[in-house]
């Protein structure tokens, strides 16, 4: 709270960005796995970004993404999904190549017909259970659908943490008309399934100059498109960090966790003007 009290505002624009591991994991959750790789949304035509692209290079080489409900004591772990299929580790992307979708029995059957090849449930049928409460306070019955569980992003050739930060400083120096970049920690997000446009709401954002000095920034969100965003990755590095949360969908909110390395990106669009997080009651006490 004390750091946020002195937080500064920046202009909307595209900046070099260093995501910590938790922010990277949130990004992969929103911009790739949680909804855009849902077999249900692909089969129903709601998600088209990665539809029919199994076998395509969709991420930089060296990046592998897995979804694994068998992780010991994972927030999204279980033995069997809600259709009785055993929970199993699934490689969604291997070395940058799309390998699979999140599937339950219904979506697997629909995709088998849609693409004229055999798909099988990989044990991802989940829901908030039988009843969910909507924003209007009304209860409704929900049906399970393919959902993300424990998402892990792994990269080859990881740099040490200090080198990645030095890389951010160098990108700032090399970027015309830019005097600083952003260091982003953690956060949540959302995605528009139809076109893949995503928004990340960081837990914390720092403005960093080319000498490494940093100041906390208030009221920033990051936006982008998956295909464009993945093409802007310059390097990945230590340490891995995890983020825990509740993923929302038509089948309600389910617990998930995701883990990833830090990512250095050439530029990301930052939108400012997000509502101030400090309340009028809190400010006078500081």
């Amino acid at each position: 709270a004390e750091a946020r009290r002195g937080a500064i505002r920046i202009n909307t624009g595209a900046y070099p960005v260093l995501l910590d591991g938790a922010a990277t994991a949130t990004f992969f959750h929103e911009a790739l796995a949680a909804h855009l790789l849902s077999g249900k949304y692909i089969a129903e035509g709601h998600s088209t970004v990665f539809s029919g692209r199994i076998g395509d290079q969709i991420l930089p080489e060296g990046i592998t993404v897995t979804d694994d409900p068998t992780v010991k004591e994972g927030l999204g772990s279980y033995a069997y999904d809600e259709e009785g299929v055993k929970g199993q580790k699934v490689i969604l992307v291997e070395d940058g190549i799309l390998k699979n979708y999140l599937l339950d029995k219904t979506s697997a059957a629909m995709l088998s017909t849609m693409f004229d090849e055999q798909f099988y449930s990989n044990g991802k049928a989940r829901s908030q259970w039988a009843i969910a409460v909507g924003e209007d306070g009304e209860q409704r019955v929900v049906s399970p659908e393919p959902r993300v569980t424990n998402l892990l992003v792994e990269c080859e050739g990881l740099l040490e943490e200090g080198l990645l930060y030095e890389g951010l400083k160098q990108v700032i120096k090399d970027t015309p008309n830019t005097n600083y970049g952003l260091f982003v920690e953690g956060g949540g997000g959302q995605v528009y399934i139809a076109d893949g446009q995503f928004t990340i709401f960081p837990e914390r954002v720092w403005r960093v100059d080319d000498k490494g000095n940093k100041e906390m920034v208030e009221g920033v969100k990051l936006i982008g498109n998956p295909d464009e965003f993945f093409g802007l990755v310059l390097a990945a590095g230590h340490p891995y960090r995890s983020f825990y949360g509740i993923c929302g969908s038509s089948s309600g909110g389910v617990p998930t966790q995701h883990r990833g390395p830090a990512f250095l990106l050439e530029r990301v669009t930052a939108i400012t003007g997000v509502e101030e997080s400090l309340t009028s009651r809190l400010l006078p006490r500081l």
Side-chain angles (χ1 to χ4, degrees):
E2 177 61 27
R4 288 186 184 278
R5 183 168 71 97
I8 61 174
R9 293 272 177 167
I10 61 172
N11 294 325
T12 292
Y15 301 96
V17 167
L18 176 58
L19 303 174
D20 81 341
T24 297
T26 295
F27 159 67
F28 273 86
H29 176 99
E30 297 296 344
L32 181 73
H35 303 293
L36 299 186
L37 294 186
S38 162
K40 173 185 176 180
Y41 293 136
I42 292 171
E44 293 177 349
H46 301 308
S47 174
T48 60
V49 178
F50 299 111
S51 177
R53 295 178 63 181
I54 287 181
D56 290 356
Q57 188 90 33
I58 65 168
L59 300 180
E61 292 182 2
I63 299 179
T64 295
V65 183
T66 58
D67 184 80
D68 188 2
T70 69
V71 172
K72 186 178 180 180
E73 298 181 351
L75 191 62
S77 295
Y78 50 81
Y80 293 86
D81 75 358
E82 293 177 27
E83 293 178 326
V85 178
K86 191 172 183 178
Q88 54 198 272
K89 179 179 179 179
V90 174
I91 298 175
L92 299 172
V93 179
E94 184 174 31
D95 198 23
I97 297 174
L98 181 62
K99 292 292 186 178
N100 211 336
Y101 300 123
L102 300 172
L103 299 170
D104 61 3
K105 292 180 180 180
T106 301
S107 61
M110 293 175 69
L111 290 183
S112 295
T113 300
M114 182 175 177
F115 295 125
D116 195 25
E117 63 176 288
Q118 193 63 52
F119 288 86
Y120 299 93
S121 170
N122 46 36
K124 304 303 178 185
R126 305 182 70 195
S127 72
Q128 193 175 330
W129 203 230
I131 299 294
V133 179
E135 294 181 0
D136 56 4
E138 293 294 321
Q139 292 187 342
R140 57 186 178 85
V141 177
V142 297
S143 299
E145 63 176 305
R147 304 293 299 276
V148 71
T149 64
N150 304 307
L151 194 70
L152 175 61
V153 181
E154 298 178 283
C155 298
E156 297 176 358
L158 294 180
L159 301 177
E160 293 303 318
E161 187 174 14
L163 289 177
L164 210 57
Y165 202 77
E166 289 299 315
L168 173 62
K169 291 159 58 177
Q170 188 60 51
V171 175
I172 295 169
K173 292 178 182 178
D174 295 343
T175 302
N177 305 316
T178 299
N179 298 319
Y180 57 87
L182 303 175
F183 174 53
V184 178
E185 298 180 276
Q190 65 184 30
V191 64
Y192 294 99
I193 298 171
D195 59 11
Q197 294 292 322
F198 66 85
T199 304
I200 302 297
F201 303 98
E203 185 175 351
R204 284 180 294 272
V205 179
W206 305 84
R207 185 176 75 174
V208 181
D209 65 22
D210 59 9
K211 295 181 175 56
N213 302 310
K214 66 179 187 178
E215 300 175 275
M216 183 172 280
V217 175
E218 181 63 34
V220 170
K221 61 183 179 182
L222 307 178
I223 64 170
N225 172 276
D227 281 321
E228 176 189 14
F229 198 91
F230 288 127
L232 299 173
V233 178
L234 298 175
H238 297 286
Y240 278 87
R241 296 192 188 280
S242 298
F243 195 80
Y244 307 85
I246 301 295
C247 177
S249 185
S250 59
S251 55
V254 297
T256 64
Q257 72 180 49
H258 26 281
R259 182 172 182 262
F263 261 31
L264 176 61
L265 298 117
E266 182 180 345
R267 67 182 184 279
V268 179
T269 299
I271 304 294
T272 62
V274 179
E275 186 176 351
E276 169 65 56
S277 62
L278 295 178
T279 68
S280 57
R281 288 184 61 193
L282 181 60
L283 282 168
R285 298 185 182 209
L286 297 175

